[in-house]
Amino acid sequence: MRILITGGAGFIGQHVAVMLASEHELVAVDSLNAQVHQHAEAAVQRFPGQVVIADVSQASTWDALPGFDVVVHLAAETGTAQSMYEAGRYRAVNVEGTRLAAAAAASWGAALVALSSRAVYGEGRYECRRHGTRFGARCCPQAEAAPSREEDPHRPVSVYGETKSEAEAILAEYAAAIPVTVLRPQNVVGFGQALHNPYTGVLAAFLARLREGRPLSVYGDGSATRDFVHVDDVARLITWCIDHPGRLGSLRVLNCGTGERTSLTDLARFAAAAAPVASAPVEYVDVGRAGDIEHAVASLEGLRSAGAPLPRMSSEQAVADFIGRSWGLPGADSEAWDVALRELRQRGLTS
């Protein structure tokens, strides 16, 4: 098959391409944004197929493309905090880019697999003995965070989350014409993710600090939780969706995570344990960033019901793999994350 991968030269796209290259003809469309691609030429060379350097939010990009059998739509702006002050750019790429991708896929009669985000859930699901199930906020101290399910309502708290929610609504409109699957990954980690971009991913910051012997900075008291899923497990699920397209008439939505809740303190501990140097202490920074949430974890019941592949790596294993394989690679100094935090403070986006 001829498969188009938007954002194909990026972190997840490269892993998907490796899994597909032996059996399919691949083309990537990627803007090669300098914030993500510090070495753009190397990224192009790694992709096992043609790379079209273009912006998915421009209609001219799609007008110039031939037809494809499958579209894997990964291209997106992904920095939660940055989205709060770069809203126009995020909406252009994440919303208009998705609209154009879906329209092109429909015109070609191509199946579509698109990445959304766990950010659509916002604070997600809480279960309370007194008040029952609540979404988006803890109703009282008795409420306990619970795994988010695909049918849960959207309660995004960031512009990034809003754009992903709006993009899903667009994709639902096209599901009557072509098979459309939406995947909602949790925090994706692994070899190849940007080590110089301070606007996405706490693990790259931990890696930089470990290499410099600095304490690992955790924002808040460390009790906030996330679900860290390895990029190969995400890529494996995407390839499964290509081989098992959704049915016409309804949008298929699947979570993508480990189903394991990992606190930020535990995350720091996992990272330190995987480093080939003496463990650095953890320091807690009393700050909250706009768009941050307290808890996130995926329910995997949807994957099980669909017969889709479950993750092979635990969150701890995913973190260890990232630290071990990324240790000797170039990346930004840890000061880059300090600068990004100061920028948010100057913009009034911290508390």
Side-chain angles (χ1 to χ4, degrees):
M1 292 190 295
R2 284 176 49 80
I3 300 177
L4 176 68
I5 307 176
T6 71
F11 170 41
I12 298 175
Q14 295 278 9
H15 285 262
V16 173
V18 167
M19 293 184 182
L20 295 174
S22 64
E23 298 181 4
H24 304 284
E25 179 183 350
L26 305 180
V27 175
V29 170
D30 202 301
S31 67
L32 299 179
N33 186 333
Q35 181 175 301
V36 178
H37 295 279
Q38 191 173 33
H39 304 289
E41 185 176 336
V44 171
Q45 292 175 350
R46 284 196 304 273
F47 187 80
Q50 179 188 2
V51 176
V52 176
I53 303 174
D55 184 345
V56 296
S57 67
Q58 300 298 314
S60 57
T61 296
W62 298 94
D63 292 341
L65 292 171
F68 291 87
D69 301 303
V70 176
V71 175
V72 179
H73 184 49
L74 310 179
E77 299 289 350
T78 59
T80 300
Q82 188 183 54
S83 75
M84 305 301 279
Y85 62 89
E86 292 280 357
R89 178 161 63 94
Y90 276 68
R91 292 192 184 282
V93 175
N94 296 357
V95 180
E96 185 60 21
T98 298
R99 187 189 310 278
L100 292 170
S107 71
W108 300 328
L112 176 61
V113 181
L115 241 60
S116 182
S117 170
R118 57 92 176 159
V120 301
Y121 297 122
E123 285 291 350
R125 173 186 288 258
Y126 284 89
E127 300 290 352
C128 178
R129 292 181 181 179
R130 181 178 177 185
H131 300 104
T133 303
R134 292 290 186 272
F135 299 99
R138 191 187 298 273
C139 56
C140 71
Q142 297 180 33
E144 296 184 358
S148 292
R149 304 173 186 174
E150 288 87 347
E151 66 270 19
D152 288 352
H154 293 194
R155 296 287 191 274
V157 298
S158 65
V159 172
Y160 169 63
E162 291 172 0
T163 64
K164 286 298 189 176
S165 181
E166 292 167 21
E168 286 195 22
I170 291 167
L171 293 166
E173 296 175 5
Y174 283 88
I178 55 173
V180 182
T181 298
V182 166
L183 300 180
R184 294 178 184 156
Q186 296 281 321
N187 292 66
V188 184
V189 300
F191 179 76
Q193 70 185 88
L195 303 182
H196 63 281
N197 183 357
Y199 299 101
T200 59
V202 66
L203 270 182
F206 282 176
L207 175 68
R209 284 179 167 265
L210 285 166
R211 292 195 292 205
E212 296 169 18
R214 296 183 66 186
L216 301 184
S217 290
V218 172
Y219 298 160
D221 64 4
S223 63
T225 60
R226 299 290 185 270
D227 183 341
F228 295 91
V229 60
H230 194 271
V231 64
D232 282 346
D233 286 323
V234 178
R236 193 174 297 109
L237 180 57
I238 291 171
T239 62
W240 180 88
C241 291
I242 293 172
D243 292 334
H244 302 81
R247 297 179 180 177
L248 288 178
S250 63
L251 184 70
R252 179 172 66 177
V253 180
L254 295 171
N255 281 334
C256 181
T258 64
E260 302 173 2
R261 195 181 296 280
T262 299
S263 73
L264 296 186
T265 294
D266 282 340
L267 179 68
R269 180 171 58 83
F270 294 162
V277 296
S279 297
V282 176
E283 63 178 14
Y284 296 94
V285 181
D286 186 16
V287 65
R289 299 174 300 175
D292 275 352
I293 60 171
E294 186 177 0
H295 296 295
V297 70
S299 167
L300 303 188
E301 290 308 308
L303 292 181
R304 293 188 178 95
S305 297
L310 296 175
R312 297 179 182 178
M313 282 196 188
S314 67
S315 291
E316 183 173 6
Q317 290 169 330
V319 171
D321 180 74
F322 166 75
I323 295 293
R325 296 183 64 190
S326 304
W327 188 261
L329 298 179
D333 295 338
S334 62
E335 175 66 15
W337 283 267
D338 300 332
V339 170
L341 182 59
R342 288 197 294 270
E343 181 181 16
L344 291 177
R345 281 180 171 145
Q346 292 168 359
R347 295 177 179 272
L349 295 173
T350 61
S351 58

